[in-house]
Amino acid sequence: MMARTLPFMGIESAAMAPDGFMAIKLLKDMPSTVFVLTDLNMPTMDGFHTAKALRAQALPNQWLFIIAISGSIDSGTPQECKEAGIDALMSKPLKLEVLARAIFRVLEFASPQE
């Protein structure tokens, strides 16, 4: 669903990974600004472990922002996200306009200021 939605939000270049292991491999070939949207309940490697691994391998010149989504958020989830290096948490069902605002805020923040 995300692959079809992102172009409507003005995002033309996106790499999709079916699981955390592939996301980690993809990061090596990414540019200096990387925005990651991960589900906390992915198969093989969950979003918490994926975020920790992405943070550990990010290059010094990479600006990495991670948003996690989940259909089951309890009172401890925000703290777990913070400890994993996740910058923001959104609940399912995901409202695309809320996601779009978050993405544009991130990209605006990451853009070089003139």
Side-chain angles (χ1 to χ4, degrees):
M1 179 186 98
M2 269 303 143
R4 293 187 312 258
T5 304
L6 292 175
F8 291 107
M9 294 167 42
I11 298 170
E12 297 174 12
S13 175
M16 303 290 175
D19 61 44
F21 289 113
M22 184 58 74
I24 293 163
K25 289 180 183 178
L26 286 173
L27 183 67
K28 294 177 185 174
D29 298 323
M30 292 290 125
S32 60
T33 300
V34 181
F35 173 81
V36 176
L37 180 64
T38 183
D39 194 307
L40 291 180
N41 298 309
M42 289 189 300
T44 313
M45 177 186 279
D46 67 24
F48 298 110
H49 288 94
T50 299
K52 287 178 185 177
L54 290 171
R55 292 272 180 220
Q57 84 164 37
L59 301 172
N61 64 335
Q62 274 181 324
W63 189 88
L64 181 62
F65 190 88
I66 303 172
I67 291 181
I69 58 172
S70 180
S72 57
I73 297 174
D74 62 30
S75 62
T77 306
Q79 182 61 34
E80 287 179 85
C81 287
K82 184 178 180 180
E83 291 169 2
I86 295 170
D87 299 294
L89 174 63
M90 297 181 146
S91 63
K92 290 181 184 178
L94 194 59
K95 294 181 178 156
L96 294 180
E97 53 279 355
V98 174
L99 176 61
R101 281 196 304 268
I103 290 171
F104 291 124
R105 268 184 298 190
V106 167
L107 295 177
E108 183 177 296
F109 180 78
S111 297
Q113 303 298 317
E114 295 184 33

